Structure formats: C-alpha cells, structure tokens
Amino acid sequence: MGIAEQMGRTLARTAISVNIKERLDFSCALFTSDGGLVANAPHIPVHLGAMQAAVKFQVQYWNSEGREGIKEGEVLVSNHPQLAGGSHLPDITVITPVFHEGKVIFFVASRGHHADIGGIAPGSMPPHSTCLEDEGAMIIAFKLVKDGTFDEKGITEILQSPGKIPGNTGTRNLRDNLSDLRAQVAANQSGIRLLHELVKEYGLRQVDAYMKFIQCNAEACVR
C-alpha cells in the first residue's frame, strides 16, 4: 500500500492539470504478473475494480498470438470502457511492467482523469451523448513508451483523432494531456523503483508470497 501511495504523491507533484494536481482525481495500484490487483491506494474508489480489468486486458491482448508481447522499457495506455476495462474515456490508464531478471514479475498502473480528450463538448462528458465516440478519443491498446522513448507523435494522433468524426473535435488541451501522461509514467517508475528495492531486501519469493497472502486475505474479508 505504501508503494501505491508514494506513486500517488509522485503523480500529484509532477502533473500540471487541475484535475490531477489539485483535485487529485487519480488512482495508483500494484498488480501481479497476470494483472490481479494487490494494493490500490485510497484515491478514487470507482477505479478499484476497473483498474484490474484494464491490466488483465492488456496482459492478454499483448501476449496473444500474433502480437509482440510486453518488453522491458515499454509502457501501455488505454481508456476504453467497453473493451479494455476503462471506467469512462477521460480516465486514462497508464500501465508499466516490472521486470526482474528478464521476466515480468508485477505491474504498476496509474489512472488519471484528463480534463478533455475531445468529443462533442468540452470536458469530454457530454450529457446528451448518444454513443461512446461523442466522449472523445478511444484507446484500446497502445504502447505509450517503446524502447524507453515516449511516443508523443503516436499518442497525439490518437488524442486528435475524434476531430475526424463530423461534429466532434480532438482534444482541446493537448499540452496538459501530454504532461499528465508523462507524470503518470513517472509515477509508475517510482513504484517500480520501490518494488525493486523491496525485492532486493526480502527476495522475490517472499515478496510474491506476501502479495498472494494479501489477495487471499482480501478475498476472505469480503466473503
């Protein structure tokens, strides 16, 4: 839990939008290698269940036959609520694998509410929308960072893509989008650093075992 909370502090300090920096509309969490939730910091409760679904979807999507898998130095991003475990389109989830000796051992993720990602009305939450496209840019699966490089061009094209639909526009505040996405990447990186320190101090076997204990205890508590 402490690691997820520290990720949140990093995100709040490095983001520039009012939504994330001041209103604190974000969540940070740790997951097992298959995408199972271990610890979600007490940020935004509505993100709790959906973030696990988002991570599990990305694990299955990128590791399915014919796709390139998930490699070290990559960061994944999605927001689609119907297909990829999102909550609503303005909530963009950034997911980073944690590698140890060439193998994914955990995932860390941060979900932040972006003030605008395009659509038919400012704020990307139009009360009179009739389809998902009206809310703005949709991301099912995209590698935001590849080989350690932030793909600004690729994510910009996605965020501006609603403008191709009649009556819609692309994001109205690209600068904040890009800055906050970088802040989410940085928050995830802080979680990875702390997880590596934990594994170095106690060993992967013990850390992994206690993560499973946490999951089993949580299951027992809600039964």
Side-chain angles (χ1 to χ4, degrees):
M1 184 66 75
I3 292 175
E5 289 176 342
Q6 180 59 44
M7 289 170 62
R9 285 190 282 270
T10 300
L11 181 51
R13 287 197 304 267
T14 54
I16 68 167
S17 70
V18 172
N19 263 14
I20 295 179
K21 190 175 190 68
E22 298 181 27
R23 207 163 61 78
L24 306 180
D25 191 348
F26 63 79
S27 287
C28 299
L30 313 180
F31 303 83
T32 56
S33 59
D34 64 353
L37 177 66
V38 175
N40 196 118
H43 294 137
I44 302 295
V46 73
H47 295 163
L48 270 168
M51 282 186 76
Q52 174 175 282
V55 177
K56 280 184 173 290
F57 174 84
Q58 295 301 315
V59 173
Q60 293 167 2
Y61 179 91
W62 291 108
N63 289 324
S64 61
E65 188 175 350
R67 294 201 169 92
E68 57 196 81
I70 300 171
K71 301 180 180 65
E72 197 163 6
E74 294 182 338
V75 179
L76 317 174
V77 64
S78 72
N79 72 343
H80 203 294
Q82 296 171 343
L83 301 177
S87 41
H88 64 157
L89 291 183
D91 282 343
I92 299 180
T93 306
V94 173
I95 302 162
T96 310
V98 183
F99 277 81
H100 178 72
E101 297 179 351
K103 181 182 177 183
V104 176
I105 55 172
F106 308 117
F107 284 92
V108 293
S110 55
R111 173 170 289 181
H113 184 128
H114 289 244
D116 194 285
I117 56 166
I120 62 174
S124 302
M125 294 191 294
H128 51 285
S129 60
T130 58
C131 60
L132 188 62
E133 288 85 352
D134 290 347
E135 289 191 8
M138 296 179 290
I139 311 167
I140 297 173
F142 180 71
K143 292 191 174 179
L144 181 64
V145 176
K146 200 168 184 178
D147 298 323
T149 301
F150 186 89
D151 188 355
E152 182 173 329
K153 180 180 178 181
I155 193 64
T156 296
E157 289 176 356
I158 291 172
L159 292 170
Q160 297 289 13
S161 63
K164 299 175 183 177
I165 302 172
N168 281 22
T169 65
T171 178
R172 299 166 181 85
N173 198 342
L174 180 63
R175 185 190 70 125
D176 278 16
N177 294 137
L178 295 176
S179 295
D180 285 351
L181 286 170
R182 285 191 170 95
Q184 289 179 252
V185 171
N188 288 4
Q189 196 58 40
S190 71
I192 291 173
R193 176 178 55 81
L194 292 170
L195 278 169
H196 280 156
E197 290 177 5
L198 196 64
V199 169
K200 183 178 180 181
E201 183 172 356
Y202 295 102
L204 176 58
R205 184 176 178 181
Q206 188 166 347
V207 172
D208 190 50
Y210 271 95
M211 287 195 173
K212 288 182 172 60
F213 296 156
I214 291 170
Q215 290 179 317
C216 290
N217 182 65
E219 181 183 3
C221 287
V222 299
R223 280 190 181 276

